[in-house]
Amino acid sequence: MTTVAMSPQQAIEQPNGLVLLLRYLRRNKGLAVGLAIFLALVLFTVIGSFTVDLKHAYPLSVGLKKPPSWQYPFGTDFFGRDLLAAMVVGLWQTAVIGILAGGLGTLIGVILGFIAAYFGGFADATIRTVCQILTPIPVLLIQVVIASSLDKRDVTIFTMAFIVVLLAWMGPTLVIRSQVLTMKERQFVSVAKLSGVSDFGIIFKEILPNLLPFIAAAFVSQVFLAVFAAFYLAVLGLGPLREPLLGNIIWAATGQGAFFNGWWWWPIEPSIGMILILGSLALINMGLDELANPRVRRTE
Amino acid sequence: MRPRLLIKRLLFLVLVIWAASTIVFFIPRLSSRNALRERFAELARTGGFSSTDMEKIIASMQKQFGLDQPLLQQYWQYLNNLVHLDFGVSLYKYPATVTELIAQALPWSISLLLVTTILSFVIGNLLGAIAAWPRSPRWMRGIATPFVLLTGVPPVIMGVLLLFFIGFRLKLLPLGGSYSVGLIPDWSWPFFLDLMAHQILPALALIFGSVGGWVLSMRGMGITIQGEDYVNFAEHKGLTPGRIFRDYYLRNTLLPQVTGLALALGTVVTSAIIVEGLFALPGIGSLINVAIRANDFPTIYGIVIFITIAVAVLMAILEFVYPLIDPRVKNE
Amino acid sequence: MLKFKLAVAAIIAAAALAAPTVGYAQATPPTTGEIKPASLADVPRNQTLVVGWGVSGGEPIGDTNPWALPGYTHQAGNVLMWEPLMYFAIFKNEYIPWLADSMDYNADFTSLTIKLNKDAAWSDGTPVTSADVAYTFEQQLANDKLPYHANFVQFMDSVTTPDPLTAIVKFKTPAPRFKFEVLSLKFDTGIPIVQKAWESKQKDYTAVAGGTEIPHSGPYNIVAWNNVQKIYDLRPDWWAIKAGRHAVPAVKRVIVVNTLDQTVDTVAQRLVTNEFDSSTDMRAQIIGNILDQNKDVSSWTGNESPYGYLDWWPNSLWMNTQLAPYNDPNIRKAMSLAIDRDKINEVLYDGAKIASIYPFPLYPNLQKFADSPEVKAEEAKYNPGEFNLDKSAALMTAAGYAKNGDGLWAKDGKTINAVIQAFPSIHGDIAPILAEMLHTAGFDSDVNFGTDAYQNMADGKPGLYLFGHGASLFDPFEALNLFHGKYSAQIGTTAGNSRFSRYKNAEFDALLDDASPRASDDPKFQSDLAQALGIYWRDTIDIPVIQWLHRIPYNNHYWKNWPSSTNLADGTNGAFWAQTGMLVMTGLQPSGAQ
């Protein structure tokens, strides 16, 4: 038996978190592009809030029907809104709806999914059955019916977020539930149980951290659905009409025959805005899918 | 089929219908709007209907429809009628019955909606599968992204743009309607061609908007499958990439998507609301649009329940078909 | 694998087959109401009139019976089937005798003698007789579901028929306006005459659709009707030709195309491509562009602004004057002072003078009334069209209001609810502008385009109601009668027939009661109404905003002789959907296009 001399342990240099992230983004182009667009939109909104007079996002503030120019880079609409200001305000209002509804939906999904999977038995059966029963129901249609039943003065950004969440939580619930079910059986949980860690401890210290990628993915897709549903309701004319939500602007533009009258910038700009928002969310979602599946996560 | 399983599935179906009909029952009642009054108001506004006894007529009609009873009692009556498949009379388009209205509207929607849903399913899933397959050429994987971005384009804008450029400027396709002015529907070749010509633009508007969704979900599915052992095994066995793609990859990713197909039929009706309005197609989407705007709840109930039943039944059928296609799946 | 392929192939095949098969469903036996002919006569495009229509989706298919209510509407082509005793040509200011040769009052307006044309006949060959006229009137009197029931109950005592061509109506009280308001068809008001034989055979005529079998006197028959189109064909045995009332119409077929919810863009495009000969009225900007893109298209004022004719529905901001704070005339006046009518003209109408201070349209006779010295004096006294934010502020502070942190008037923490209830299809452009003006002046204003807008108006909910006055056409009586105290509903009930203001004033009522039995040219009638109009302005019963224009596009590519400001034709307005639409459509001449 021989012994082999080993060189003294060298400190293994770990690149810091940021570098790892950037490297990952380089590989996962979809996620990178999505994040880039998203960041650009955030910057647009933030810078816009400071440099543009936001009161101009409401009717009769500026000259009417002016095409894009130096003074009004996005032009103005039939009612006298400065479309640059309208886009800034509309974007952050959309963000509020998305995050509020998305966050709420994910939260409900996580809580219900956990309860169902972890405690099993009757709770599990009930939650699972309720989710399955509600699935075939045409959700968007019901949301349209709700939105049009409300008293117009009650329709605000917050009620819209609420309507959107009402029937959107079933997806994340089932996903989280199935993930927790798999994890429950894994070794690290059994080990933790044997070591005497309490139920709560297991949930928060063992399972939750491993679920984070799935929760993140669910959150992003919930935000996507929320923004999409809110946008759809607004395009039908069911949103809070005075607010410059992107869907509202498009609704007003098609109602006044914008294309035929040659005011192409009026509906096109919010459409591009919508494409960018939903597109970036979709790309981020795609990227997170990969992240969540370690087998597929591209290695360097 | 084992009888216990059949009963379980039927029970599920019944529960779904009950849930849908209950949810949709209470919502329009939340507002104080009354479809009968809306109709009369409209007549008064546009037709010079100057009866000052409008209120009396409305009151007597409300009684006729049982609308003056307490809500819970109306609910029981409603469930009772449902069991007998009686959807009642439309309040807004009185005296047409809801079943009549749906029957009148269905032919104009069904071909469009079915064909576009299936087409976007096929195209979207194919693109999504290709996008996730690491061995696809770069450019093919890139195709997925623009389609995903297209989901952001509102069907309204897509439709208006299509009408404007292809219908108006280029005059290639008609500017709306189900068939040309002055024709009557009949079993003839020219009519069929005319009908199809009128469906192309609406179909495009619907497909463009929905392909992206399939691409996303399919790609997600594909990525999960990619990592599976049997795919690796197939590779190691030395099968050609094409064969692996088709027989091992595609087939397994496609199956779970099929359930989604049934669900998609439910959501396509909501997209149809906008598209049918744009193209003047008097189908289910237009019908529910008018019903929602007038708060004509019998019609709303009828359509929502109809769609729910269609989707649930389709899902049930697909679940029975599943084991035929994938022998691994056994009905528990 | 084979099974999988088979399954997929089966699904695709099924869908492909389903498409045309189901599309053909229309060719199978008709679902109830639809009218499906076995075949259609061949009529060339240049003998066909194609119009686009999509205002309401509520018309039940197959309803050709004017008494099938609710549901029947005359607007989408049914005017071609039903005729009145007389039409009224608003722009020529004269009656057009039709089924009746004459309708004459006695000296004190308590009886009306109607003489029918001897050739008037129904589509089944039987003549139109006084029995039909009497039946029409008596049913209106008896059946509270019919639209003019209330008018008949108020005025008609009885009707007698001394011979088949004469009917004599006796009134309970002098009814000088009955002949005009009820018995003549114009705009959207008046009654057609229906056949006694057919209607009396029905168990309940309000529930029978009529379809193709109901005998009518109008020149066209309905031949096809589904959700997509309605087709009417000319019947060569129309009585008016033999009677010399009208030449043989050049329009052999009328097709009403359902444009449902198509955007204005698309309907405009279908006009430009000559698919449509006319359509529903358009907003100013759009019609200007249509005229630019297709030189064959013209309007009431030719190729110039404002492109339309005056309609009878001038809009105001109404409010419930029995509800606080709207019950304070000073607050109402303060809101009126916030409206800049010049700005409205500039923004929405390219400077054309559309904004108005009257609750009635300025038709020739009404214009004369508005220009009369008495009315002018009242106008000078109250200056109803004034725009003055300072005066508005002064009135509000005098009423005890102060501006809060948001710049809105508030008292005890409550702002003034100035949410405007409106209809998106017709008020899409003006309502937001009005809301902003009120907002700037300190009123808590927004727009409610929801479907509960009309309900809120009828229930008298807080807020403002953007609505028209569909009343006066000839003299201002009906318009001012909208504010008569006897119609003002209590709070908590629903205001019938658009009387939303619930205004109650004894002085006002007295003036109207005095004017009611007088003829329109009676000088006392004129001065009573001038004073009543003065009170309307003094108390700001509602805030008049705009006259209403109908900008209807006329496509001259296939048809000419549309009524316009330079071509009076029959003297009616140019709307094919109005009760006088039949005259418009049968008056068209071919332009010679192929």
Side-chain angles (χ1 to χ4, degrees):
Chain A
M1 202 155 69
T2 47
T3 51
V4 179
M6 283 183 67
S7 48
Q9 284 274 14
Q10 282 172 305
I12 301 179
E13 250 187 61
Q14 290 278 16
N16 67 16
L18 186 59
V19 177
L20 277 176
L21 178 68
L22 287 175
R23 280 195 194 157
Y24 179 68
L25 283 179
R26 195 177 53 183
R27 284 174 266 130
N28 190 346
K29 294 256 177 8
L31 186 59
V33 171
L35 279 175
I37 299 180
F38 192 75
L39 242 72
L41 288 172
V42 170
L43 258 137
F44 172 77
T45 311
V46 168
I47 297 182
S49 327
F50 289 121
T51 54
V52 177
D53 184 351
L54 293 182
K55 283 216 294 284
H56 287 173
Y58 296 93
L60 282 188
S61 340
V62 293
L64 313 168
K65 308 174 223 163
K66 295 199 189 315
S69 60
W70 279 121
Q71 192 190 6
Y72 301 114
F74 281 16
T76 67
D77 77 350
F78 181 86
F79 296 110
R81 295 183 203 260
D82 176 357
L83 285 174
L84 181 58
M87 294 285 284
V88 170
V89 177
L91 274 175
W92 84 249
Q93 283 178 339
T94 309
V96 165
I97 296 181
I99 295 179
L100 208 63
L104 206 57
T106 316
L107 190 65
I108 298 178
V110 166
I111 295 178
L112 286 181
F114 253 109
I115 296 178
Y118 202 73
F119 296 108
F122 186 66
D124 183 23
T126 327
I127 294 181
R128 184 171 43 106
T129 323
V130 168
C131 285
Q132 284 177 337
I133 289 182
L134 290 178
T135 309
I137 298 181
V139 162
L140 206 48
L141 206 54
I142 304 258
Q143 288 170 342
V144 170
V145 174
I146 296 178
S148 60
S149 299
L150 289 178
D151 181 349
K152 264 316 179 152
R153 292 187 76 197
D154 290 336
V155 178
T156 63
I157 315 177
F158 302 104
T159 47
M160 282 193 83
F162 183 67
I163 296 174
V164 162
V165 147
L166 223 47
L167 285 171
W169 48 268
M170 291 94 71
T173 307
L174 289 175
V175 166
I176 300 286
R177 175 183 164 276
S178 69
Q179 288 304 326
V180 174
L181 274 179
T182 10
M183 283 193 196
K184 221 170 72 165
E185 308 308 322
R186 297 260 213 101
Q187 277 188 336
F188 65 89
V189 173
S190 324
V191 168
K193 266 210 178 111
L194 286 174
S195 336
V197 184
S198 71
D199 274 340
F200 271 121
I202 297 180
I203 292 178
F204 282 106
K205 286 199 270 201
E206 305 287 346
I207 300 186
L208 208 51
N210 284 295
L211 271 186
L212 276 177
F214 294 98
I215 296 183
F219 177 66
V220 173
S221 94
Q222 282 289 292
V223 172
F224 180 93
L225 286 174
V227 170
F228 185 82
F231 175 67
Y232 197 86
L233 291 175
V235 161
L236 284 178
L238 296 170
L241 292 178
R242 195 168 167 266
E243 303 299 333
L245 278 177
L246 299 184
N248 281 342
I249 301 180
I250 293 179
W251 173 81
T254 45
Q256 299 297 321
F259 276 117
F260 191 77
N261 285 326
W263 311 314
W264 52 269
W265 60 92
W266 186 11
I268 291 281
E269 283 159 10
S271 304
I272 296 182
M274 250 320 155
I275 294 178
L276 289 177
I277 298 178
L278 290 177
S280 66
L281 284 174
L283 287 172
I284 296 178
N285 199 0
M286 267 166 67
L288 286 179
D289 270 343
E290 263 188 40
L291 201 60
N293 189 340
R295 285 199 193 179
V296 179
R297 196 179 307 162
R298 297 172 225 214
T299 47
E300 208 153 10
Chain B
M1 286 301 137
R2 299 212 287 272
R4 241 193 89 210
L5 184 64
L6 200 63
I7 294 179
K8 209 169 135 194
R9 287 276 175 263
L10 278 176
L11 190 65
F12 182 72
L13 199 63
V14 168
L15 275 176
V16 169
I17 297 172
W18 170 82
S21 45
T22 305
I23 293 179
V24 85
F25 175 81
F26 287 104
I27 298 171
R29 313 273 183 153
L30 290 177
S31 81
S32 55
R33 279 186 301 132
N34 182 327
L36 281 174
R37 195 171 272 139
E38 301 280 329
R39 183 78 188 111
F40 276 99
E42 207 176 273
L43 286 174
R45 210 163 21 96
T46 58
F49 189 84
S50 64
S51 167
T52 43
D53 293 329
M54 201 167 90
E55 284 307 309
K56 269 216 290 203
I57 302 180
I58 293 178
S60 77
M61 290 185 93
Q62 300 232 98
K63 211 148 150 196
Q64 189 184 342
F65 290 121
L67 290 174
D68 53 345
Q69 291 169 339
L71 203 58
L72 269 180
Q73 203 175 339
Q74 290 186 45
Y75 179 58
W76 289 126
Q77 184 65 37
Y78 164 73
L79 285 181
N80 191 16
N81 289 340
L82 266 190
V83 171
H84 293 103
L85 283 183
D86 173 11
F87 286 118
V89 177
S90 162
L91 294 178
Y92 187 66
K93 296 199 187 198
Y94 179 82
T97 62
V98 174
T99 337
E100 241 170 47
L101 290 175
I102 297 183
Q104 280 168 2
L106 212 48
W108 304 112
S109 286
I110 222 173
S111 53
L112 181 69
L113 298 183
L114 262 184
V115 172
T116 53
T117 311
I118 294 189
L119 268 179
S120 62
F121 177 80
V122 168
I123 299 176
N125 280 313
L126 214 56
L127 280 179
I130 294 175
W133 187 241
R135 261 164 283 288
S136 318
R138 253 266 154 99
W139 64 269
M140 277 188 110
R141 278 195 279 161
I143 290 189
T145 325
F147 272 104
V148 169
L149 285 179
L150 274 181
T151 39
V153 179
V156 123
I157 297 289
M158 180 65 84
V160 169
L161 284 174
L162 283 172
L163 275 172
F164 187 68
F165 285 110
I166 302 186
F168 185 55
R169 279 287 160 78
L170 296 176
K171 299 199 184 12
L172 284 176
L173 288 169
L175 283 171
S178 295
Y179 52 84
S180 294
V181 169
L183 295 182
I184 40 167
D186 61 19
W187 292 88
S188 72
W189 188 242
F191 181 72
F192 174 66
L193 284 180
D194 187 75
L195 196 69
M196 287 298 117
H198 281 85
Q199 307 275 332
I200 295 181
L201 285 183
L204 281 178
L206 278 174
I207 292 180
F208 274 133
S210 50
V211 164
W214 289 117
V215 171
L216 265 187
S217 62
M218 184 57 163
R219 192 176 169 283
M221 206 67 235
I223 288 182
T224 321
I225 298 278
Q226 245 179 59
E228 293 292 325
D229 291 331
Y230 56 82
V231 177
N232 285 325
F233 182 57
E235 281 177 21
H236 289 314
K237 251 179 35 177
L239 296 173
T240 60
R243 179 115 185 262
I244 300 177
F245 183 74
R246 218 184 48 223
D247 294 342
Y248 288 83
Y249 178 62
L250 197 60
R251 188 174 173 183
N252 286 290
T253 47
L254 206 53
L255 289 174
Q257 296 287 74
V258 174
T259 335
L261 182 61
L263 283 177
L265 282 174
T267 47
V268 83
V269 175
T270 332
S271 316
I273 293 183
I274 287 187
V275 172
E276 284 184 4
L278 266 184
F279 290 91
L281 302 170
I284 292 277
S286 298
L287 188 63
I288 198 165
N289 193 7
V290 170
I292 288 177
R293 283 199 280 169
N295 208 27
D296 179 6
F297 22 92
T299 313
I300 298 178
Y301 300 156
I303 296 181
V304 171
I305 295 174
F306 175 77
I307 296 174
T308 312
I309 294 180
V311 171
V313 164
L314 216 61
M315 279 174 78
I317 293 179
L318 285 171
E319 287 202 29
F320 277 120
V321 167
Y322 233 64
L324 290 177
I325 303 179
D326 183 357
R328 292 175 307 164
V329 174
K330 289 216 186 8
N331 289 312
E332 339 89 54
Chain C
M1 189 54 204
L2 194 61
K3 275 203 220 155
F4 176 65
K5 275 195 189 156
L6 272 179
V8 170
I11 296 181
I12 297 188
L17 279 178
T21 319
V22 181
Y24 276 150
Q26 277 289 300
T28 54
T31 43
T32 341
E34 284 184 359
I35 299 176
K36 279 204 270 201
S39 66
L40 266 191
D42 213 4
V43 175
R45 175 66 174 94
N46 60 5
Q47 288 176 18
T48 310
L49 182 69
V50 179
V51 294
W53 182 251
V55 165
S56 84
E59 192 187 11
I61 300 185
D63 256 18
T64 51
N65 175 6
W67 285 357
L69 294 162
Y72 172 82
T73 170
H74 60 270
Q75 294 182 320
N78 282 337
V79 281
L80 294 170
M81 291 174 69
W82 297 101
E83 298 169 322
L85 292 168
M86 289 194 178
Y87 289 103
F88 189 81
I90 193 71
F91 294 109
K92 277 190 181 165
N93 226 2
E94 61 186 33
Y95 287 95
I96 303 178
W98 205 254
L99 287 174
D101 280 337
S102 67
M103 292 201 281
D104 295 313
Y105 278 106
N106 64 354
D108 62 356
F109 304 110
T110 51
S111 118
L112 183 70
T113 308
I114 303 173
K115 290 232 185 294
L116 292 173
N117 183 294
K118 61 179 175 38
D119 293 314
W122 299 106
S123 55
D124 63 357
T126 60
V128 176
T129 66
S130 56
D132 297 311
V133 174
Y135 179 76
T136 306
F137 291 179
E138 281 160 356
Q139 291 303 306
Q140 290 274 358
L141 184 61
N143 190 334
D144 64 0
K145 278 197 176 158
L146 293 181
Y148 279 86
H149 170 75
N151 299 72
F152 278 87
V153 165
Q154 183 182 4
F155 288 111
M156 184 169 105
D157 179 66
S158 64
V159 53
T160 53
T161 55
D163 65 63
L165 288 179
T166 315
I168 305 183
V169 183
K170 259 200 0 203
F171 296 111
K172 296 176 184 162
T173 84
R177 269 161 288 283
F178 195 81
K179 169 180 166 187
F180 177 77
E181 293 296 337
V182 180
L183 300 182
S184 320
L185 278 188
K186 65 256 169 249
F187 289 87
D188 292 315
T189 60
I191 56 171
I193 303 295
V194 299
Q195 191 196 60
K196 173 176 180 179
W198 192 89
E199 299 278 5
S200 55
K201 257 203 318 229
Q202 314 303 324
K203 212 153 44 137
D204 176 8
Y205 46 62
T206 63
V208 184
T212 49
E213 46 170 54
I214 185 169
H216 52 273
S217 62
Y220 292 84
N221 289 325
I222 180 85
V223 293
W225 191 346
N226 64 11
N227 266 329
V228 179
Q229 296 171 23
K230 291 169 87 165
I231 305 184
Y232 293 90
D233 276 352
L234 182 65
R235 59 183 183 98
D237 54 346
W238 187 33
W239 68 269
I241 301 174
K242 188 164 81 149
R245 280 264 198 267
H246 203 284
V248 178
V251 174
K252 302 283 181 253
R253 170 173 291 164
V254 177
I255 303 183
V256 183
V257 178
N258 189 352
T259 54
L260 273 183
D261 274 329
Q262 284 203 300
T263 56
V264 277
D265 287 41
T266 319
V267 177
Q269 287 162 8
R270 294 173 92 169
L271 273 162
V272 171
T273 55
N274 296 327
E275 185 183 352
F276 286 166
D277 297 317
S278 186
S279 74
T280 46
D281 61 320
M282 302 266 170
R283 301 281 142 251
Q285 199 85 41
I286 306 241
I287 200 170
N289 273 312
I290 299 178
L291 265 46
D292 279 338
Q293 297 188 32
N294 182 340
K295 295 298 167 211
D296 284 336
V297 180
S298 70
S299 71
W300 178 267
T301 51
N303 292 334
E304 286 147 26
S305 190
Y307 304 118
Y309 65 82
L310 213 53
D311 186 48
W312 74 321
W313 209 54
N315 275 218
S316 294
L317 284 169
W318 300 64
M319 58 202 106
N320 183 348
T321 61
Q322 286 182 17
L323 195 66
Y326 315 103
N327 51 3
D328 181 351
N330 287 328
I331 295 189
R332 300 201 291 267
K333 182 70 180 173
M335 286 202 260
S336 175
L337 287 165
I339 306 293
D340 183 353
R341 288 175 181 76
D342 288 329
K343 184 110 197 185
I344 294 178
N345 286 336
E346 176 204 323
V347 165
L348 291 178
Y349 306 111
D350 289 329
K353 300 236 175 300
I354 308 298
S356 160
I357 53 171
Y358 305 100
F360 45 74
L362 293 171
Y363 287 131
N365 207 49
L366 288 161
Q367 181 76 60
K368 243 184 13 188
F369 175 74
D371 290 338
S372 68
E374 292 195 33
V375 174
K376 282 283 173 204
E378 300 281 351
E379 193 188 326
K381 239 197 302 184
Y382 301 115
N383 200 355
E386 190 180 1
F387 168 62
N388 191 322
L389 287 175
D390 295 324
K391 266 200 191 168
S392 172
L395 283 171
M396 292 306 291
T397 31
Y401 282 82
K403 281 211 174 167
N404 67 7
D406 295 321
L408 300 175
W409 294 114
K411 184 153 76 160
D412 304 325
K414 287 187 31 193
T415 57
I416 304 225
N417 180 344
V419 171
I420 302 179
Q421 312 287 332
F423 308 107
S425 51
I426 49 177
H427 294 137
D429 49 359
I430 184 162
I433 309 265
L434 291 173
E436 276 308 308
M437 289 182 177
L438 287 165
H439 206 264
T440 315
F443 299 98
D444 193 356
S445 183
D446 202 332
V447 183
N448 177 15
F449 278 136
T451 39
D452 54 342
Y454 184 80
Q455 190 66 51
N456 291 339
M457 297 184 197
D459 287 342
K461 293 259 165 72
L464 301 171
Y465 323 136
L466 189 54
F467 201 75
H469 303 78
S472 278
L473 288 170
F474 186 75
D475 63 49
F477 182 81
E478 288 300 333
L480 293 170
N481 202 22
L482 289 172
F483 310 117
H484 196 296
K486 70 177 182 224
Y487 299 114
S488 297
Q490 293 292 59
I491 298 204
T493 63
T494 311
N497 208 24
S498 331
R499 292 187 153 95
F500 306 131
S501 69
R502 305 171 193 245
Y503 178 75
K504 265 194 158 112
N505 181 315
E507 191 190 346
F508 188 84
D509 291 351
L511 287 166
L512 285 183
D513 291 336
D514 182 69
S516 173
R518 295 176 191 278
S520 308
D521 47 13
D522 182 338
K524 184 76 167 52
F525 179 84
Q526 298 275 325
S527 71
D528 279 343
L529 290 182
Q531 287 178 53
L533 187 58
I535 298 182
Y536 169 79
W537 281 328
R538 179 192 78 195
D539 285 350
T540 318
I541 302 181
D542 62 45
I543 306 173
V545 182
I546 47 172
Q547 294 280 316
W548 198 251
L549 282 180
H550 265 179
R551 299 180 189 82
I552 304 176
Y554 303 138
N555 192 335
N556 292 290
H557 188 80
Y558 290 105
W559 298 103
K560 56 181 202 280
N561 198 31
W562 298 91
S564 74
S565 57
T566 46
N567 171 26
L568 275 187
D570 283 311
T572 64
N573 65 38
F576 61 82
W577 62 86
Q579 293 278 23
T580 43
M582 188 275 277
L583 293 173
V584 173
M585 294 193 262
T586 49
L588 294 173
Q589 303 297 323
S591 322
Q594 286 314 307

